[in-house]
Structures are given as structure tokens and as C-alpha cells.
Amino acid sequence: MLLQPLMMTDKPDGEGDASTLLKTRPKTKRPPLYKVLLLNDDFTPMEFVVHVLERFFGMTHAEAFEVMLTVHKKGVAVVGVFTHEIAETKVGQVMDFARRHQHPLQCTMEKEE
């Protein structure tokens, strides 16, 4: 027995039409983004901050050095923008790493506007 594919014209009133199916799909909303911020302090060595930026944010040495100087001069710098879960993970990783190395480096996150 041979089966023939059902043609779109075989259904009444365009039922099952691909364009109809696309119109009924719910629209997904992009998740809110969060900025990860690194805060300056007077005790954490600049080399350590550069290492953190390279290790946890995938920056090159030159990029990390520039961001570290921004943190040093301005007191704070955005080091990345992520979804909530990723930003929260990055903040935790940086804070744990700094604590283990006995540095008071602070990292935080805030919702992007």
C-alpha cells in the first residue's frame, strides 16, 4: 500500500497552513540583563585584579589592564553584562576567589536599564 502525503489544499479553509501556525506561537521575551561591577579598594593588588578579569571574564591581558585602570581611577567599572544567573555566578566566583587569596576585592551586580 502506498501512502501519499497530505497536500495543504486537501484541508478546508487553509487549516494547518504554515503561516497560521507561526501566528499562534507565543512570543518569547528576552531575559533582563545585569551588569557585573568591580569595585576599587586600597588593598587588592592591581596584578590580582588583572588576573581576575582574565580568568573570569575572558579578557586579554591588555583589556584586563585597561579595565583595572578604570576601576582604580573611577572606583568602579562594568566588567560584563549577563543574564541574572550568569551574573550571579560570576559575582560569586570573583568573591570566593578574592577571599581565598585574602583580598578584599568586591564584585557586585545590578540590573541594566
mmCIF file of all heavy atoms in Angstrom, residues 20-71:
data_model
loop_
_atom_site.group_PDB
_atom_site.id
_atom_site.type_symbol
_atom_site.label_atom_id
_atom_site.label_comp_id
_atom_site.label_asym_id
_atom_site.label_seq_id
_atom_site.Cartn_x
_atom_site.Cartn_y
_atom_site.Cartn_z
ATOM 1 N N THR A 20 -0.468 30.148 9.457
ATOM 2 C CA THR A 20 -1.383 30.183 10.596
ATOM 3 C C THR A 20 -0.676 29.673 11.847
ATOM 4 O O THR A 20 -0.821 30.239 12.926
ATOM 5 C CB THR A 20 -2.634 29.325 10.329
ATOM 6 O OG1 THR A 20 -3.236 29.764 9.113
ATOM 7 C CG2 THR A 20 -3.625 29.437 11.462
ATOM 8 N N LEU A 21 0.113 28.636 11.698
ATOM 9 C CA LEU A 21 0.828 28.073 12.843
ATOM 10 C C LEU A 21 1.834 29.057 13.409
ATOM 11 O O LEU A 21 1.993 29.171 14.613
ATOM 12 C CB LEU A 21 1.535 26.770 12.441
ATOM 13 C CG LEU A 21 0.641 25.591 12.079
ATOM 14 C CD1 LEU A 21 1.479 24.428 11.599
ATOM 15 C CD2 LEU A 21 -0.215 25.193 13.268
ATOM 16 N N LEU A 22 2.516 29.790 12.551
ATOM 17 C CA LEU A 22 3.502 30.754 13.012
ATOM 18 C C LEU A 22 2.864 31.903 13.772
ATOM 19 O O LEU A 22 3.430 32.401 14.727
ATOM 20 C CB LEU A 22 4.302 31.299 11.832
ATOM 21 C CG LEU A 22 5.238 30.314 11.149
ATOM 22 C CD1 LEU A 22 5.919 30.978 9.952
ATOM 23 C CD2 LEU A 22 6.275 29.787 12.114
ATOM 24 N N LYS A 23 1.670 32.287 13.387
ATOM 25 C CA LYS A 23 0.991 33.397 14.039
ATOM 26 C C LYS A 23 0.527 33.043 15.451
ATOM 27 O O LYS A 23 0.402 33.907 16.291
ATOM 28 C CB LYS A 23 -0.212 33.844 13.212
ATOM 29 C CG LYS A 23 0.178 34.551 11.935
ATOM 30 C CD LYS A 23 -1.049 34.916 11.151
ATOM 31 C CE LYS A 23 -0.658 35.469 9.789
ATOM 32 N NZ LYS A 23 -1.800 35.677 8.923
ATOM 33 N N THR A 24 0.295 31.772 15.721
ATOM 34 C CA THR A 24 -0.225 31.392 17.028
ATOM 35 C C THR A 24 0.886 31.103 18.045
ATOM 36 O O THR A 24 0.598 30.871 19.199
ATOM 37 C CB THR A 24 -1.121 30.142 16.912
ATOM 38 O OG1 THR A 24 -0.363 29.073 16.355
ATOM 39 C CG2 THR A 24 -2.327 30.426 16.042
ATOM 40 N N ARG A 25 2.133 31.110 17.591
ATOM 41 C CA ARG A 25 3.229 30.847 18.509
ATOM 42 C C ARG A 25 3.414 32.000 19.487
ATOM 43 O O ARG A 25 3.419 33.157 19.078
ATOM 44 C CB ARG A 25 4.526 30.693 17.720
ATOM 45 C CG ARG A 25 5.125 29.317 17.894
ATOM 46 C CD ARG A 25 6.602 29.367 17.712
ATOM 47 N NE ARG A 25 6.993 28.980 16.375
ATOM 48 C CZ ARG A 25 8.201 29.168 15.901
ATOM 49 N NH1 ARG A 25 9.108 29.758 16.605
ATOM 50 N NH2 ARG A 25 8.510 28.785 14.708
ATOM 51 N N PRO A 26 3.550 31.725 20.782
ATOM 52 C CA PRO A 26 3.751 32.827 21.735
ATOM 53 C C PRO A 26 5.126 33.462 21.537
ATOM 54 O O PRO A 26 6.094 32.779 21.217
ATOM 55 C CB PRO A 26 3.648 32.150 23.098
ATOM 56 C CG PRO A 26 3.981 30.717 22.837
ATOM 57 C CD PRO A 26 3.536 30.427 21.439
ATOM 58 N N LYS A 27 5.192 34.759 21.709
ATOM 59 C CA LYS A 27 6.463 35.459 21.576
ATOM 60 C C LYS A 27 7.252 35.297 22.869
ATOM 61 O O LYS A 27 6.714 35.473 23.953
ATOM 62 C CB LYS A 27 6.236 36.935 21.295
ATOM 63 C CG LYS A 27 5.678 37.174 19.911
ATOM 64 C CD LYS A 27 5.631 38.637 19.597
ATOM 65 C CE LYS A 27 5.122 38.840 18.194
ATOM 66 N NZ LYS A 27 5.124 40.237 17.807
ATOM 67 N N THR A 28 8.524 34.967 22.721
ATOM 68 C CA THR A 28 9.369 34.852 23.904
ATOM 69 C C THR A 28 10.030 36.196 24.168
ATOM 70 O O THR A 28 10.430 36.895 23.246
ATOM 71 C CB THR A 28 10.451 33.764 23.721
ATOM 72 O OG1 THR A 28 11.176 34.050 22.532
ATOM 73 C CG2 THR A 28 9.838 32.377 23.634
ATOM 74 N N LYS A 29 10.130 36.522 25.428
ATOM 75 C CA LYS A 29 10.698 37.790 25.836
ATOM 76 C C LYS A 29 12.149 37.561 26.251
ATOM 77 O O LYS A 29 12.449 36.579 26.928
ATOM 78 C CB LYS A 29 9.891 38.336 27.017
ATOM 79 C CG LYS A 29 10.166 39.746 27.366
ATOM 80 C CD LYS A 29 9.215 40.199 28.462
ATOM 81 C CE LYS A 29 9.593 41.579 28.945
ATOM 82 N NZ LYS A 29 8.781 41.986 30.079
ATOM 83 N N ARG A 30 13.032 38.457 25.855
ATOM 84 C CA ARG A 30 14.431 38.332 26.252
ATOM 85 C C ARG A 30 14.548 38.536 27.756
ATOM 86 O O ARG A 30 13.898 39.414 28.323
ATOM 87 C CB ARG A 30 15.292 39.375 25.545
ATOM 88 C CG ARG A 30 15.491 39.057 24.087
ATOM 89 C CD ARG A 30 16.429 40.059 23.469
ATOM 90 N NE ARG A 30 16.905 39.484 22.228
ATOM 91 C CZ ARG A 30 18.175 39.299 21.947
ATOM 92 N NH1 ARG A 30 19.102 39.685 22.790
ATOM 93 N NH2 ARG A 30 18.531 38.752 20.814
ATOM 94 N N PRO A 31 15.401 37.741 28.398
ATOM 95 C CA PRO A 31 15.568 37.907 29.847
ATOM 96 C C PRO A 31 16.281 39.225 30.155
ATOM 97 O O PRO A 31 17.076 39.702 29.339
ATOM 98 C CB PRO A 31 16.440 36.710 30.248
ATOM 99 C CG PRO A 31 17.150 36.323 29.001
ATOM 100 C CD PRO A 31 16.230 36.669 27.873
ATOM 101 N N PRO A 32 15.997 39.815 31.311
ATOM 102 C CA PRO A 32 16.682 41.063 31.661
ATOM 103 C C PRO A 32 18.182 40.800 31.847
ATOM 104 O O PRO A 32 18.585 39.707 32.238
ATOM 105 C CB PRO A 32 16.032 41.479 32.983
ATOM 106 C CG PRO A 32 15.393 40.255 33.513
ATOM 107 C CD PRO A 32 15.074 39.376 32.349
ATOM 108 N N LEU A 33 18.974 41.819 31.564
ATOM 109 C CA LEU A 33 20.426 41.681 31.685
ATOM 110 C C LEU A 33 20.921 42.425 32.920
ATOM 111 O O LEU A 33 20.307 43.385 33.370
ATOM 112 C CB LEU A 33 21.106 42.214 30.422
ATOM 113 C CG LEU A 33 20.785 41.445 29.148
ATOM 114 C CD1 LEU A 33 21.431 42.127 27.942
ATOM 115 C CD2 LEU A 33 21.230 40.001 29.246
ATOM 116 N N TYR A 34 22.048 41.947 33.436
ATOM 117 C CA TYR A 34 22.641 42.508 34.646
ATOM 118 C C TYR A 34 24.099 42.846 34.402
ATOM 119 O O TYR A 34 24.835 42.071 33.802
ATOM 120 C CB TYR A 34 22.528 41.511 35.804
ATOM 121 C CG TYR A 34 21.110 41.323 36.252
ATOM 122 C CD1 TYR A 34 20.235 40.512 35.540
ATOM 123 C CD2 TYR A 34 20.623 42.001 37.367
ATOM 124 C CE1 TYR A 34 18.917 40.368 35.933
ATOM 125 C CE2 TYR A 34 19.304 41.856 37.767
ATOM 126 C CZ TYR A 34 18.465 41.032 37.039
ATOM 127 O OH TYR A 34 17.156 40.898 37.432
ATOM 128 N N LYS A 35 24.499 44.035 34.880
ATOM 129 C CA LYS A 35 25.890 44.458 34.783
ATOM 130 C C LYS A 35 26.649 43.891 35.981
ATOM 131 O O LYS A 35 26.165 43.960 37.106
ATOM 132 C CB LYS A 35 25.994 45.983 34.821
ATOM 133 C CG LYS A 35 25.319 46.666 33.665
ATOM 134 C CD LYS A 35 25.512 48.163 33.705
ATOM 135 C CE LYS A 35 24.576 48.801 34.709
ATOM 136 N NZ LYS A 35 24.529 50.257 34.638
ATOM 137 N N VAL A 36 27.824 43.345 35.713
ATOM 138 C CA VAL A 36 28.712 42.908 36.792
ATOM 139 C C VAL A 36 29.732 44.019 36.978
ATOM 140 O O VAL A 36 30.375 44.462 36.022
ATOM 141 C CB VAL A 36 29.391 41.564 36.459
ATOM 142 C CG1 VAL A 36 30.403 41.201 37.539
ATOM 143 C CG2 VAL A 36 28.354 40.463 36.318
ATOM 144 N N LEU A 37 29.840 44.495 38.217
ATOM 145 C CA LEU A 37 30.697 45.629 38.541
ATOM 146 C C LEU A 37 31.837 45.210 39.459
ATOM 147 O O LEU A 37 31.633 44.425 40.395
ATOM 148 C CB LEU A 37 29.874 46.711 39.247
ATOM 149 C CG LEU A 37 28.600 47.159 38.541
ATOM 150 C CD1 LEU A 37 27.701 47.906 39.500
ATOM 151 C CD2 LEU A 37 28.940 48.022 37.349
ATOM 152 N N LEU A 38 33.002 45.747 39.193
ATOM 153 C CA LEU A 38 34.159 45.525 40.061
ATOM 154 C C LEU A 38 34.431 46.845 40.770
ATOM 155 O O LEU A 38 34.448 47.910 40.133
ATOM 156 C CB LEU A 38 35.358 45.121 39.205
ATOM 157 C CG LEU A 38 36.379 44.189 39.813
ATOM 158 C CD1 LEU A 38 35.726 42.930 40.370
ATOM 159 C CD2 LEU A 38 37.416 43.810 38.783
ATOM 160 N N LEU A 39 34.605 46.785 42.090
ATOM 161 C CA LEU A 39 34.779 47.990 42.897
ATOM 162 C C LEU A 39 36.227 48.128 43.361
ATOM 163 O O LEU A 39 36.887 47.142 43.685
ATOM 164 C CB LEU A 39 33.859 47.941 44.120
ATOM 165 C CG LEU A 39 32.385 47.656 43.831
ATOM 166 C CD1 LEU A 39 31.607 47.511 45.127
ATOM 167 C CD2 LEU A 39 31.779 48.737 42.965
ATOM 168 N N ASN A 40 36.691 49.353 43.400
ATOM 169 C CA ASN A 40 38.062 49.627 43.827
ATOM 170 C C ASN A 40 38.201 49.543 45.344
ATOM 171 O O ASN A 40 37.257 49.794 46.087
ATOM 172 C CB ASN A 40 38.468 51.028 43.355
ATOM 173 C CG ASN A 40 39.939 51.303 43.595
ATOM 174 O OD1 ASN A 40 40.777 50.452 43.352
ATOM 175 N ND2 ASN A 40 40.241 52.495 44.075
ATOM 176 N N ASP A 41 39.371 49.133 45.778
ATOM 177 C CA ASP A 41 39.738 49.212 47.192
ATOM 178 C C ASP A 41 41.219 49.566 47.241
ATOM 179 O O ASP A 41 41.905 49.555 46.229
ATOM 180 C CB ASP A 41 39.432 47.893 47.929
ATOM 181 C CG ASP A 41 40.257 46.739 47.420
ATOM 182 O OD1 ASP A 41 41.473 46.711 47.684
ATOM 183 O OD2 ASP A 41 39.687 45.840 46.770
ATOM 184 N N ASP A 42 41.713 49.895 48.416
ATOM 185 C CA ASP A 42 43.107 50.327 48.545
ATOM 186 C C ASP A 42 44.070 49.194 48.873
ATOM 187 O O ASP A 42 45.239 49.449 49.158
ATOM 188 C CB ASP A 42 43.212 51.410 49.634
ATOM 189 C CG ASP A 42 42.491 52.683 49.236
ATOM 190 O OD1 ASP A 42 42.410 52.960 48.020
ATOM 191 O OD2 ASP A 42 42.011 53.398 50.133
ATOM 192 N N PHE A 43 43.596 47.961 48.851
ATOM 193 C CA PHE A 43 44.438 46.859 49.309
ATOM 194 C C PHE A 43 44.690 45.771 48.274
ATOM 195 O O PHE A 43 45.743 45.148 48.290
ATOM 196 C CB PHE A 43 43.822 46.231 50.569
ATOM 197 C CG PHE A 43 43.591 47.244 51.653
ATOM 198 C CD1 PHE A 43 42.319 47.762 51.869
ATOM 199 C CD2 PHE A 43 44.638 47.706 52.426
ATOM 200 C CE1 PHE A 43 42.099 48.710 52.856
ATOM 201 C CE2 PHE A 43 44.438 48.668 53.414
ATOM 202 C CZ PHE A 43 43.160 49.164 53.625
ATOM 203 N N THR A 44 43.731 45.499 47.393
ATOM 204 C CA THR A 44 43.896 44.424 46.408
ATOM 205 C C THR A 44 44.935 44.849 45.369
ATOM 206 O O THR A 44 44.797 45.910 44.758
ATOM 207 C CB THR A 44 42.561 44.120 45.707
ATOM 208 O OG1 THR A 44 41.579 43.802 46.695
ATOM 209 C CG2 THR A 44 42.703 42.949 44.744
ATOM 210 N N PRO A 45 45.962 44.021 45.151
ATOM 211 C CA PRO A 45 46.985 44.368 44.154
ATOM 212 C C PRO A 45 46.407 44.448 42.738
ATOM 213 O O PRO A 45 45.521 43.680 42.372
ATOM 214 C CB PRO A 45 47.992 43.212 44.244
ATOM 215 C CG PRO A 45 47.715 42.538 45.541
ATOM 216 C CD PRO A 45 46.268 42.773 45.848
ATOM 217 N N MET A 46 46.923 45.377 41.973
ATOM 218 C CA MET A 46 46.452 45.565 40.598
ATOM 219 C C MET A 46 46.642 44.293 39.773
ATOM 220 O O MET A 46 45.800 43.968 38.937
ATOM 221 C CB MET A 46 47.185 46.736 39.953
ATOM 222 C CG MET A 46 46.834 48.068 40.543
ATOM 223 S SD MET A 46 47.784 49.380 39.736
ATOM 224 C CE MET A 46 47.084 50.812 40.512
ATOM 225 N N GLU A 47 47.734 43.583 39.994
ATOM 226 C CA GLU A 47 48.008 42.349 39.256
ATOM 227 C C GLU A 47 46.935 41.301 39.528
ATOM 228 O O GLU A 47 46.561 40.534 38.637
ATOM 229 C CB GLU A 47 49.383 41.770 39.616
ATOM 230 C CG GLU A 47 50.557 42.670 39.298
ATOM 231 C CD GLU A 47 50.796 43.754 40.362
ATOM 232 O OE1 GLU A 47 50.365 43.586 41.526
ATOM 233 O OE2 GLU A 47 51.392 44.781 40.016
ATOM 234 N N PHE A 48 46.440 41.263 40.759
ATOM 235 C CA PHE A 48 45.391 40.310 41.111
ATOM 236 C C PHE A 48 44.100 40.649 40.362
ATOM 237 O O PHE A 48 43.423 39.755 39.848
ATOM 238 C CB PHE A 48 45.149 40.303 42.632
ATOM 239 C CG PHE A 48 44.133 39.279 43.060
ATOM 240 C CD1 PHE A 48 44.481 37.949 43.180
ATOM 241 C CD2 PHE A 48 42.814 39.644 43.319
ATOM 242 C CE1 PHE A 48 43.544 36.994 43.562
ATOM 243 C CE2 PHE A 48 41.871 38.705 43.700
ATOM 244 C CZ PHE A 48 42.240 37.369 43.823
ATOM 245 N N VAL A 49 43.778 41.929 40.277
ATOM 246 C CA VAL A 49 42.570 42.359 39.564
ATOM 247 C C VAL A 49 42.680 41.987 38.083
ATOM 248 O O VAL A 49 41.722 41.475 37.493
ATOM 249 C CB VAL A 49 42.331 43.880 39.740
ATOM 250 C CG1 VAL A 49 41.149 44.349 38.891
ATOM 251 C CG2 VAL A 49 42.103 44.216 41.211
ATOM 252 N N VAL A 50 43.840 42.202 37.500
ATOM 253 C CA VAL A 50 44.060 41.834 36.094
ATOM 254 C C VAL A 50 43.851 40.329 35.922
ATOM 255 O O VAL A 50 43.177 39.882 34.990
ATOM 256 C CB VAL A 50 45.469 42.266 35.622
ATOM 257 C CG1 VAL A 50 45.806 41.654 34.261
ATOM 258 C CG2 VAL A 50 45.571 43.783 35.570
ATOM 259 N N HIS A 51 44.393 39.543 36.852
ATOM 260 C CA HIS A 51 44.240 38.091 36.785
ATOM 261 C C HIS A 51 42.757 37.680 36.858
ATOM 262 O O HIS A 51 42.312 36.815 36.112
ATOM 263 C CB HIS A 51 45.048 37.423 37.901
ATOM 264 C CG HIS A 51 44.939 35.942 37.915
ATOM 265 N ND1 HIS A 51 45.479 35.149 36.932
ATOM 266 C CD2 HIS A 51 44.314 35.097 38.781
ATOM 267 C CE1 HIS A 51 45.203 33.885 37.196
ATOM 268 N NE2 HIS A 51 44.491 33.827 38.309
ATOM 269 N N VAL A 52 42.010 38.304 37.746
ATOM 270 C CA VAL A 52 40.569 38.019 37.894
ATOM 271 C C VAL A 52 39.828 38.316 36.590
ATOM 272 O O VAL A 52 39.000 37.521 36.130
ATOM 273 C CB VAL A 52 39.971 38.842 39.062
ATOM 274 C CG1 VAL A 52 38.450 38.882 38.994
ATOM 275 C CG2 VAL A 52 40.426 38.269 40.398
ATOM 276 N N LEU A 53 40.140 39.439 35.979
ATOM 277 C CA LEU A 53 39.469 39.827 34.741
ATOM 278 C C LEU A 53 39.791 38.863 33.600
ATOM 279 O O LEU A 53 38.919 38.530 32.790
ATOM 280 C CB LEU A 53 39.849 41.260 34.361
ATOM 281 C CG LEU A 53 39.320 42.325 35.335
ATOM 282 C CD1 LEU A 53 39.978 43.671 35.063
ATOM 283 C CD2 LEU A 53 37.813 42.428 35.255
ATOM 284 N N GLU A 54 41.019 38.405 33.546
ATOM 285 C CA GLU A 54 41.410 37.430 32.520
ATOM 286 C C GLU A 54 40.727 36.092 32.766
ATOM 287 O O GLU A 54 40.174 35.482 31.851
ATOM 288 C CB GLU A 54 42.927 37.226 32.519
ATOM 289 C CG GLU A 54 43.707 38.427 32.038
ATOM 290 C CD GLU A 54 45.206 38.304 32.263
ATOM 291 O OE1 GLU A 54 45.652 37.421 33.051
ATOM 292 O OE2 GLU A 54 45.940 39.073 31.653
ATOM 293 N N ARG A 55 40.769 35.645 34.020
ATOM 294 C CA ARG A 55 40.278 34.310 34.365
ATOM 295 C C ARG A 55 38.760 34.178 34.292
ATOM 296 O O ARG A 55 38.239 33.209 33.753
ATOM 297 C CB ARG A 55 40.770 33.947 35.768
ATOM 298 C CG ARG A 55 40.296 32.597 36.228
ATOM 299 C CD ARG A 55 40.928 32.216 37.525
ATOM 300 N NE ARG A 55 40.435 30.924 37.971
ATOM 301 C CZ ARG A 55 41.024 30.190 38.877
ATOM 302 N NH1 ARG A 55 42.129 30.600 39.437
ATOM 303 N NH2 ARG A 55 40.503 29.039 39.242
ATOM 304 N N PHE A 56 38.031 35.139 34.857
ATOM 305 C CA PHE A 56 36.580 35.006 34.973
ATOM 306 C C PHE A 56 35.780 35.730 33.894
ATOM 307 O O PHE A 56 34.597 35.454 33.709
ATOM 308 C CB PHE A 56 36.112 35.452 36.361
ATOM 309 C CG PHE A 56 36.672 34.617 37.461
ATOM 310 C CD1 PHE A 56 37.683 35.098 38.280
ATOM 311 C CD2 PHE A 56 36.223 33.318 37.670
ATOM 312 C CE1 PHE A 56 38.219 34.316 39.296
ATOM 313 C CE2 PHE A 56 36.755 32.524 38.673
ATOM 314 C CZ PHE A 56 37.757 33.028 39.487
ATOM 315 N N PHE A 57 36.430 36.653 33.180
ATOM 316 C CA PHE A 57 35.701 37.413 32.170
ATOM 317 C C PHE A 57 36.304 37.282 30.778
ATOM 318 O O PHE A 57 35.884 37.959 29.849
ATOM 319 C CB PHE A 57 35.583 38.883 32.599
ATOM 320 C CG PHE A 57 34.826 39.025 33.891
ATOM 321 C CD1 PHE A 57 35.498 39.106 35.104
ATOM 322 C CD2 PHE A 57 33.441 39.013 33.900
ATOM 323 C CE1 PHE A 57 34.796 39.189 36.302
ATOM 324 C CE2 PHE A 57 32.736 39.103 35.091
ATOM 325 C CZ PHE A 57 33.417 39.187 36.286
ATOM 326 N N GLY A 58 37.296 36.417 30.638
ATOM 327 C CA GLY A 58 37.868 36.086 29.333
ATOM 328 C C GLY A 58 38.547 37.241 28.617
ATOM 329 O O GLY A 58 38.623 37.250 27.392
ATOM 330 N N MET A 59 39.033 38.196 29.368
ATOM 331 C CA MET A 59 39.701 39.339 28.752
ATOM 332 C C MET A 59 41.151 39.008 28.428
ATOM 333 O O MET A 59 41.768 38.197 29.118
ATOM 334 C CB MET A 59 39.665 40.550 29.691
ATOM 335 C CG MET A 59 38.287 41.081 29.963
ATOM 336 S SD MET A 59 38.378 42.545 31.013
ATOM 337 C CE MET A 59 36.644 42.789 31.367
ATOM 338 N N THR A 60 41.660 39.686 27.404
ATOM 339 C CA THR A 60 43.088 39.585 27.124
ATOM 340 C C THR A 60 43.813 40.364 28.213
ATOM 341 O O THR A 60 43.190 41.149 28.955
ATOM 342 C CB THR A 60 43.435 40.204 25.757
ATOM 343 O OG1 THR A 60 43.168 41.613 25.819
ATOM 344 C CG2 THR A 60 42.654 39.549 24.628
ATOM 345 N N HIS A 61 45.119 40.195 28.276
ATOM 346 C CA HIS A 61 45.892 40.923 29.291
ATOM 347 C C HIS A 61 45.737 42.438 29.102
ATOM 348 O O HIS A 61 45.550 43.176 30.082
ATOM 349 C CB HIS A 61 47.367 40.514 29.238
ATOM 350 C CG HIS A 61 48.174 41.120 30.340
ATOM 351 N ND1 HIS A 61 48.095 40.660 31.634
ATOM 352 C CD2 HIS A 61 49.034 42.161 30.346
ATOM 353 C CE1 HIS A 61 48.884 41.395 32.406
ATOM 354 N NE2 HIS A 61 49.475 42.315 31.641
ATOM 355 N N ALA A 62 45.789 42.885 27.855
ATOM 356 C CA ALA A 62 45.669 44.326 27.573
ATOM 357 C C ALA A 62 44.291 44.858 27.972
ATOM 358 O O ALA A 62 44.181 45.937 28.580
ATOM 359 C CB ALA A 62 45.930 44.592 26.093
ATOM 360 N N GLU A 63 43.229 44.121 27.639
ATOM 361 C CA GLU A 63 41.874 44.539 28.018
ATOM 362 C C GLU A 63 41.731 44.587 29.533
ATOM 363 O O GLU A 63 41.188 45.549 30.094
ATOM 364 C CB GLU A 63 40.832 43.564 27.462
ATOM 365 C CG GLU A 63 40.678 43.584 25.963
ATOM 366 C CD GLU A 63 39.851 42.420 25.429
ATOM 367 O OE1 GLU A 63 39.786 41.353 26.075
ATOM 368 O OE2 GLU A 63 39.269 42.592 24.349
ATOM 369 N N ALA A 64 42.224 43.545 30.199
ATOM 370 C CA ALA A 64 42.125 43.463 31.657
ATOM 371 C C ALA A 64 42.891 44.610 32.317
ATOM 372 O O ALA A 64 42.417 45.188 33.301
ATOM 373 C CB ALA A 64 42.656 42.118 32.139
ATOM 374 N N PHE A 65 44.037 44.946 31.771
ATOM 375 C CA PHE A 65 44.838 46.042 32.327
ATOM 376 C C PHE A 65 44.082 47.366 32.214
ATOM 377 O O PHE A 65 44.041 48.149 33.164
ATOM 378 C CB PHE A 65 46.198 46.112 31.617
ATOM 379 C CG PHE A 65 47.157 47.040 32.296
ATOM 380 C CD1 PHE A 65 47.881 46.617 33.396
ATOM 381 C CD2 PHE A 65 47.322 48.340 31.847
ATOM 382 C CE1 PHE A 65 48.764 47.474 34.049
ATOM 383 C CE2 PHE A 65 48.194 49.211 32.486
ATOM 384 C CZ PHE A 65 48.926 48.779 33.587
ATOM 385 N N GLU A 66 43.455 47.602 31.057
ATOM 386 C CA GLU A 66 42.682 48.839 30.858
ATOM 387 C C GLU A 66 41.498 48.923 31.823
ATOM 388 O O GLU A 66 41.241 49.972 32.412
ATOM 389 C CB GLU A 66 42.178 48.936 29.412
ATOM 390 C CG GLU A 66 43.256 49.267 28.410
ATOM 391 C CD GLU A 66 43.904 50.625 28.655
ATOM 392 O OE1 GLU A 66 43.173 51.604 28.911
ATOM 393 O OE2 GLU A 66 45.143 50.700 28.599
ATOM 394 N N VAL A 67 40.773 47.824 31.983
ATOM 395 C CA VAL A 67 39.628 47.803 32.894
ATOM 396 C C VAL A 67 40.100 48.006 34.337
ATOM 397 O O VAL A 67 39.487 48.750 35.101
ATOM 398 C CB VAL A 67 38.808 46.507 32.740
ATOM 399 C CG1 VAL A 67 37.732 46.411 33.813
ATOM 400 C CG2 VAL A 67 38.178 46.444 31.353
ATOM 401 N N MET A 68 41.207 47.363 34.692
ATOM 402 C CA MET A 68 41.756 47.532 36.046
ATOM 403 C C MET A 68 42.083 49.002 36.299
ATOM 404 O O MET A 68 41.809 49.529 37.384
ATOM 405 C CB MET A 68 43.012 46.668 36.207
ATOM 406 C CG MET A 68 43.729 46.830 37.535
ATOM 407 S SD MET A 68 44.895 48.213 37.605
ATOM 408 C CE MET A 68 46.069 47.775 36.347
ATOM 409 N N LEU A 69 42.654 49.688 35.311
ATOM 410 C CA LEU A 69 42.963 51.116 35.481
ATOM 411 C C LEU A 69 41.693 51.939 35.642
ATOM 412 O O LEU A 69 41.666 52.889 36.433
ATOM 413 C CB LEU A 69 43.774 51.633 34.287
ATOM 414 C CG LEU A 69 45.243 51.222 34.258
ATOM 415 C CD1 LEU A 69 45.918 51.773 33.004
ATOM 416 C CD2 LEU A 69 45.977 51.682 35.506
ATOM 417 N N THR A 70 40.637 51.564 34.938
ATOM 418 C CA THR A 70 39.348 52.254 35.088
ATOM 419 C C THR A 70 38.820 52.071 36.503
ATOM 420 O O THR A 70 38.371 53.036 37.135
ATOM 421 C CB THR A 70 38.321 51.727 34.060
ATOM 422 O OG1 THR A 70 38.835 51.942 32.750
ATOM 423 C CG2 THR A 70 36.980 52.419 34.208
ATOM 424 N N VAL A 71 38.885 50.843 37.006
ATOM 425 C CA VAL A 71 38.442 50.577 38.386
ATOM 426 C C VAL A 71 39.279 51.410 39.355
ATOM 427 O O VAL A 71 38.741 52.041 40.275
ATOM 428 C CB VAL A 71 38.565 49.072 38.732
ATOM 429 C CG1 VAL A 71 38.295 48.828 40.206
ATOM 430 C CG2 VAL A 71 37.628 48.244 37.872
#
